[in-house]
Amino acid sequence: MKKFIVATVIGFLVYLLLTTSSGNDFFIWSYSEIVVGIIFAIIVGIIVRNVFIKDNFRMLNPVRWLVLLVYLIGPFFISMARANLDVAYRVITGRINPGIVKIDPKLKTDLGVTMLANSITLTPGTLSVDVDEDKNQLYIHWINVKEDALKKKPRDCKYVCGGFPKWVRRIAE
Amino acid sequence: MIDAFMLTLVLLIISIVISLIRVVFGPTVPDRVVGLDTINTLVIASMVIFGAASKEVIYIDVAIVYALLSFVSTLFIAKYLEGGRF
Amino acid sequence: MIEIIIYVFLGIGVFFNLLASFGLIRFPDVYTRLHAGTKCTTFGSIFLSLAVIMYGLRLWYLEGFNSGNSVLVIHTIIALICILVTNPTGAHAIARAAHRSGVMPAKAVVDDLKDDRKKGRGRKKK
């Protein structure tokens, strides 16, 4: 029942966002849009309630969303800007030294691994290629391999992704 | 303001044409898919810019739907290249 | 004042989008081309969308709360979220498919994934 209510409320909020300025009965929405939105949100909630939320409700905590927003604006955006200047440098000079390395970020949940893989793709010089689903280990294509990182077999995490696993653990686990 | 948006649109179309070179001459199939993926993102950006320039919001709605559909098409092409079953 | 910010954002966005297509031409193999094609287009699209959001906020402020300009702002934000979520995921799918279909990185120093798959320890195909 709680799964159904959460899915319905989120669907209704998305419907409201997509139909702003349809009238001025209730702020900037009209009554007919709100009634239709409630009906469709209930139908969608019945269909997706078991797919939308898998195991637990930890992402309902608003502190996690606040930390996610801070993470997106602060460290993520700065490293994204650095990544783009890095790509610009390599387009102009053509100096590359690529390789595929394996790292072990020690994350447990699927959502955390997804978030870390997307962060790694958008940050300097790295691109996630494959994932070992049993042990949650990632294979990373690295455009400028450093010799220091090649010493032990699951490679050291701090050369590739910096402090990202700490942030992701705070957000998603 | 409208002139700036239109100039941006022209430059975006130039970069779409440059990316088309990779789609036509790419030596392997994944190269062509990379070119198509880049072109999809550029088309979404130009739709948003054109919607703001002409003040027609319908182009931005089309851009949202195009983003989601092109994502699904990219996933299906990748699945086909892997040789996996659906 | 806000017009100057819009011009600067448009300039940054167009520069990085052009850089992405030049990188697509210049780099030697699939993976490095994905670097250029994913990072630069995402960053450029963020700045183009921010310019449009600024423009919509200015129109919304000038023409009053109940004019139709809120649609421009909110729908652009939703399109931006769609780009941010789908773009890296698509790049990941293409890279995995390329490695499984046998395209190896050019001039690679180290390739752990190839070694693991030779030993049979990589993920089995379903």
Side-chain angles (χ1 to χ4, degrees), chain B residues 33-55:
Chain B
V33 184
V34 173
L36 272 182
D37 197 39
T38 310
I39 287 175
N40 281 333
T41 314
L42 291 174
V43 167
I44 295 163
S46 7
M47 273 183 187
V48 171
I49 291 290
F50 189 68
S54 62
K55 287 194 193 174

Side-chain angles (χ1 to χ4, degrees), chain A residues 4-42:
Chain A
F4 165 71
I5 291 173
V6 171
T8 305
V9 168
I10 291 177
F12 183 59
L13 286 181
V14 172
Y15 191 89
L16 282 187
L17 275 183
L18 282 170
T19 55
T20 48
S21 83
S22 57
N24 46 12
D25 298 336
F26 179 75
F27 293 114
I28 44 179
W29 293 279
S30 63
Y31 287 141
S32 52
E33 287 282 3
I34 291 178
V35 171
V36 173
I38 289 174
I39 294 171
F40 276 112
I42 289 174

Side-chain angles (χ1 to χ4, degrees), chain A residues 70-128:
Chain A
V70 170
Y71 167 67
L72 283 183
I73 293 174
F76 183 71
F77 193 79
I78 290 171
S79 56
M80 210 166 151
R82 269 182 46 223
N84 282 278
L85 295 177
D86 185 66
V87 170
Y89 169 75
R90 289 184 202 287
V91 167
I92 292 167
T93 60
R95 193 176 298 163
I96 57 171
N97 183 23
I100 294 182
V101 298
K102 174 170 146 186
I103 63 165
D104 189 5
K106 296 192 179 64
L107 295 171
K108 287 189 277 300
T109 56
D110 284 354
L111 182 66
V113 174
T114 309
M115 205 181 269
L116 183 70
N118 278 4
S119 303
I120 281 174
T121 298
L122 290 176
T123 48
T126 48
L127 176 82
S128 54

Side-chain angles (χ1 to χ4, degrees), chain C:
Chain C
M1 180 58 205
I2 204 162
E3 284 143 9
I4 297 171
I5 297 177
I6 292 174
Y7 290 146
V8 170
F9 279 5
L10 284 179
I12 294 173
V14 164
F15 171 73
F16 280 109
N17 277 332
L18 277 174
L19 189 75
S21 46
F22 281 121
L24 216 59
I25 296 296
R26 239 184 93 83
F27 277 144
D29 71 328
V30 181
Y31 303 99
T32 40
R33 275 173 203 148
L34 268 175
H35 277 278
T38 307
K39 281 172 199 150
C40 292
T41 50
T42 311
F43 199 64
S45 302
I46 287 176
F47 272 96
L48 290 180
S49 305
L50 278 180
V52 174
I53 289 169
M54 291 268 182
Y55 180 68
L57 281 178
R58 178 169 160 273
L59 278 185
W60 198 3
Y61 175 72
L62 286 181
E63 294 182 8
F65 186 68
N66 275 330
S67 61
N69 292 308
S70 61
V71 185
L72 193 64
V73 179
I74 291 170
H75 286 203
T76 310
I77 292 174
I78 293 174
L80 180 61
I81 292 173
C82 287
I83 289 177
L84 266 181
V85 173
T86 62
N87 223 345
T89 317
H92 172 70
I94 295 171
R96 199 176 78 154
H99 204 283
R100 290 202 176 165
S101 67
V103 181
M104 292 301 144
K107 297 189 261 176
V109 188
V110 55
D111 196 340
D112 287 347
L113 181 54
K114 197 170 137 196
D115 301 343
D116 278 9
R117 191 154 294 153
K118 255 184 206 161
K119 286 179 204 157
R121 283 198 319 203
R123 202 171 68 98
K124 285 181 274 317
K125 273 184 192 173
K126 277 175 188 164

